[in-house]
Amino acid sequence: LYRGQWKNDRYHGEGTLFLADGGTLSGQFRAGAAHGKCTLTDRNGRVIYVGSYIGGTYNGTGRLYNENGGYAEGRFVDGEPTGVFNEYDGQKHLVYCGEWKNGQRSGRGIEYRSGQKVYEGEFSDRLYHGEGKLIENGTVCYQGTFVKGKRNGYGVAYEGNVMLYQGMWQNDLRHGCGILYENGIAKYVGHFENGKRSGRINEIEKRKVIRRSVFTLKNGMGCTFSEYTEKQFEGIFRSDNPEKAMKVFFKELPELPECPELAGTAYEKYRTAPEYVIEKIITSSDVSGIYSGRLKNGVPDGSGTMLYSDHRYTGSFKNGQPEGKGVLYMRDGEEKKGTFSLKAFEGSTVLEFADISYYYLPQDSLEQ
């Protein structure tokens, strides 16, 4: 069980204690217990710990080795890591500097790879957990919240010093409310799912909403709409680009939800929008058709598109009826631009269709 120096019938001085599991504890002993600098090995001779003991327990500065020959170096109190530790790989390269708990990286610390800092922030059981920063080539590429090693919660992604995305994450993917940037300027504001645009998206250009779109992850299907909610493309998308046209059914284009984490950002600025509907059947005494566009109190009001049996009208509506500037699209391909109303006004002429009659003033007349 023991070979070495003795005093008063106890291990005392230099010696080796042979352990029941086949390992050894070699070094200095006092009054029957390890005390001073010692080395602990397993049954195969692999070094587990080298450092200071007091009363048979790790106490003071020491190195705790792993199976790959790497080690963590720091201070122990009654066998527990205390304070800041430096962790090295098998080639003695620094891979971590920070707090330890229960023999693992826990608390604040810095992780290194090939001599370069790759993460700075909070750890739990060796994993990124809490607030932290991912770093590439000396530049922050992500700053935000981590859960069990993955980006979860609110965070910001960068390329160089330029912001790419700001918003919510789940399992390392954009997920929830967020903002996509181009050249540091907000480009898309809306909802994301598993890294892709999903649900309501507002597209921003020159600080104005130029397009409101709906995306769905199912088979990459989705729709994009013009400012009048007129469909521009519906079908299969790949890498956010139209690939194959096909029918997609959507009923509503809801307002984006509030997101406290994005308060004061472009998301909050462009979040709200008038009530919208997509392909709703509108029937009244004056008009009957399939409508996509803005609503007020449940009826067309603002910009929108109405599809009738023999033509299409895209433009302004008021109190459920076409009213204001717009465009008529005929079945034969002809277009008429100008001001429209269901009530006569000065200088207007009547245009009669199967479903509806307009009073109309051409665009040329307005310009003159």
Side-chain angles (χ1 to χ4, degrees), residues 20-311:
D21 63 3
T24 63
L25 178 59
S26 302
Q28 298 172 324
F29 292 81
R30 179 183 293 179
H35 193 98
K37 186 174 181 179
C38 296
T39 299
L40 176 67
T41 67
D42 65 13
R43 61 186 301 173
N44 298 315
R46 182 180 68 84
V47 174
I48 297 174
Y49 176 81
V50 174
S52 178
Y53 275 76
I54 296 177
T57 306
Y58 309 159
N59 270 285
T61 302
R63 290 181 179 179
L64 191 64
Y65 287 80
N66 60 38
E67 295 181 354
N68 299 320
Y71 60 90
E73 183 175 61
R75 184 171 183 80
F76 295 82
V77 175
D78 295 331
E80 291 293 327
T82 302
V84 175
F85 270 66
N86 289 332
E87 187 178 343
Y88 299 85
D89 63 17
Q91 287 73 47
K92 298 184 179 181
H93 298 141
L94 180 66
V95 293
Y96 175 77
C97 175
E99 296 174 303
W100 264 47
K101 185 178 181 181
N102 298 325
Q104 300 284 1
R105 304 173 190 175
S106 286
R108 293 201 61 82
I110 302 172
E111 184 178 288
Y112 297 86
R113 195 171 299 141
S114 302
Q116 297 291 319
K117 186 188 297 186
V118 295
Y119 175 81
E120 180 177 355
E122 296 176 298
F123 289 79
S124 179
D125 295 330
R126 296 191 69 84
L127 299 175
Y128 308 155
H129 193 87
E131 295 297 316
K133 301 176 183 178
L134 290 176
I135 301 167
E136 288 184 357
N137 301 320
T139 303
V140 174
C141 60
Y142 172 84
Q143 181 171 358
T145 307
F146 293 82
V147 175
K148 295 182 178 179
K150 295 185 177 182
R151 290 170 286 185
N152 276 277
Y154 174 76
V156 182
Y158 300 88
E159 184 174 16
N161 294 318
V162 179
M163 191 181 296
L164 291 179
Y165 173 78
Q166 179 182 19
M168 308 307 293
W169 298 75
Q170 182 175 290
N171 295 327
D172 268 344
L173 297 172
R174 300 189 297 267
H175 192 94
C177 304
I179 309 166
L180 275 177
Y181 293 84
E182 287 187 3
N183 301 318
I185 300 173
K187 180 66 174 178
Y188 299 100
V189 170
H191 193 269
F192 299 81
E193 186 173 343
N194 296 329
K196 299 290 185 179
R197 288 182 283 180
S198 177
R200 168 70 177 274
I201 296 287
N202 290 339
E203 185 173 349
I204 316 302
E205 188 173 291
K206 296 181 179 179
R207 304 186 185 278
K208 292 183 179 180
V209 177
I210 63 167
R211 187 175 295 108
R212 294 180 173 91
S213 305
V214 176
F215 291 86
T216 176
L217 291 179
K218 184 178 179 182
N219 299 322
M221 297 170 67
C223 294
T224 59
F225 300 87
S226 71
E227 61 179 326
Y228 294 108
T229 322
E230 185 178 15
K231 285 185 180 178
Q232 296 177 316
F233 177 84
E234 60 177 331
I236 302 294
F237 287 78
R238 187 179 299 276
S239 300
D240 291 334
N241 294 313
E243 185 174 83
K244 182 180 179 181
M246 62 184 298
K247 187 69 175 176
V248 181
F249 293 95
F250 293 102
K251 293 183 178 179
E252 295 181 356
L253 190 60
E255 183 179 284
L256 289 170
E258 293 184 6
C259 183
E261 293 86 351
L262 291 170
T265 68
Y267 178 87
E268 189 62 31
K269 180 179 179 180
Y270 298 113
R271 179 182 71 83
T272 58
E275 182 185 1
Y276 268 76
V277 70
I278 300 169
E279 295 188 345
K280 178 181 179 180
I281 296 176
I282 301 290
T283 302
S284 70
S285 59
D286 297 309
V287 295
S288 179
I290 300 174
Y291 178 74
S292 295
R294 296 185 184 183
L295 298 174
K296 185 175 181 181
N297 299 324
V299 299
D301 197 288
S303 56
T305 294
M306 185 77 83
L307 178 64
Y308 302 93
S309 62
D310 57 354
H311 71 286

